Structures are given as structure tokens and as C-alpha cells.
Amino acid sequence: MDLSNAVFDRRAPAADNELFKSVRDVANWFSASGLADDRQAQAVAEIADGRFVEGVREMREASFQIFEPIAAGKPSAVEPLGLLFSRTASSLAAGSIELDRTRPKLALARWRDPDAVTALLAMLSIAAFFTLPRDRLHSCPRCGWLFLDTSRGGKRRWCSMRTCGNREKVSRHRGHAHA
């Protein structure tokens, strides 16, 4: 889900909505998301391939395109799922990604390989597609970010109470105060 949400706002995107503007942004995201340790994130930051950031954005959008319909109670589009499978298959066939049981694993040197890193993102999206509970996948009504509702009652409404939840409550409060 974190990959799909790597934009500022999906519902009302501003002119500068992109979070992945540079290789350093991608490396910082890998570190912040917990997908890479400091050495691995530094290796990503050293990728010099100019197409890498665009490849990461492509994986992000394919991921969003398979999960957003699920959150809306609709079937996923097959084309973006096919893209994710294709990217994963080519890296597995080339030996760029290893498996640790069923989890993808990259050797440190592979964290400098743009194809291996984007394939890792594709593989993680595929794994989530088949394992996440569909009835708990939702889209925030305020920003459009996708989230997995892990609350006991299954009634979570916002991607984050600290951001969108508070903003919505303030908005409603102001509306009531002016009425």
C-alpha cells in the first residue's frame, strides 16, 4: 500500500503532487517504508540510470491500478497486474531477485540494479494482491490514499487520523460554526 500512496494526494492532486522526483527520494522512501536498511537505501541512491525513477513510478501506478478498484468493490484491471507479473518474471528468470522462502531478497549489489529494484516492488505488489484481505482494503475519502483497515471493528475511515481525519473534523467543525 505504501508504494501506491507515494503521491501527495490522489483525489485532488496539486501541480507538484509527485513524491518520487529523484533517485534520492526513492531511496529515502525505501528506508522510511522499512523495505531497505541504510546500506540498501544508499545503494538505491547511487543508481545512475535516468529511467529508474520513471520505472518506480510505473510500478507505483500499476500497483494503485490493481488495488484501487478492490477498495471500491470492483474487479482489478488485468493490464497493470500483467505488467507487474512481467517485470517480476524477467528479474526472477535473470537471477536478479532471489527468494528467501517466499519473500523476495536482493543481494546488496542488486540494490544498485534499477531493474532488480523495480522488480522487487512489482513482486511485493503481487504478493499483496494475493494475500491482503480485500474486505479490509479501503480508500481514504479525503486524499484517496489506500489503506488496510486493521481496526478491531473494521470501521476505520481515514488513511491517518493525524492528517486526513483531523482535517475532516476541523472542516466539519468550521461548517457547523458558520451555520
Side-chain angles (χ1 to χ4, degrees), residues 7-88:
V7 295
F8 285 108
D9 193 324
R10 287 254 180 219
R11 295 245 188 269
D16 192 23
N17 200 44
E18 183 60 61
L19 289 177
F20 293 148
K21 295 178 184 174
S22 68
V23 174
R24 174 55 66 190
D25 292 339
V26 174
N28 289 340
W29 177 84
F30 264 103
S31 180
S33 69
L35 291 174
D37 63 26
D38 290 341
R39 287 180 39 200
Q40 294 163 335
Q42 182 56 42
V44 170
E46 294 168 5
I47 293 175
D49 186 337
R51 298 169 297 134
F52 171 63
V53 174
E54 189 56 42
V56 171
R57 289 178 189 164
E58 184 181 31
M59 294 303 99
R60 176 194 62 206
E61 293 309 310
S63 180
F64 180 76
Q65 289 169 8
I66 64 169
F67 291 117
E68 195 273 334
I70 295 170
K74 300 175 183 172
S76 289
V78 294
E79 294 85 9
L81 187 59
L83 173 67
L84 295 169
F85 271 114
S86 175
R87 189 65 55 96
T88 299

Side-chain angles (χ1 to χ4, degrees), residues 116-178:
V117 174
T118 55
L120 173 70
L121 293 173
M123 189 176 221
L124 292 171
S125 292
I126 290 168
F129 177 79
F130 287 108
T131 59
L132 292 178
R134 294 181 183 301
D135 61 328
R136 292 291 185 124
L137 183 60
H138 301 290
S139 177
C140 180
R142 190 161 183 91
C143 70
W145 277 17
L146 301 172
F147 65 91
L148 191 62
D149 182 355
T150 57
S151 68
R152 187 183 331 175
K155 304 270 187 214
R156 184 172 152 195
R157 295 175 46 188
W158 316 107
C159 61
S160 166
M161 191 60 207
R162 287 181 296 177
T163 53
C164 288
N166 281 340
R167 288 178 186 155
E168 182 64 24
K169 286 183 174 187
V170 167
S171 178
R172 277 189 280 160
H173 175 73
R174 287 183 180 149
H176 291 300
H178 289 89

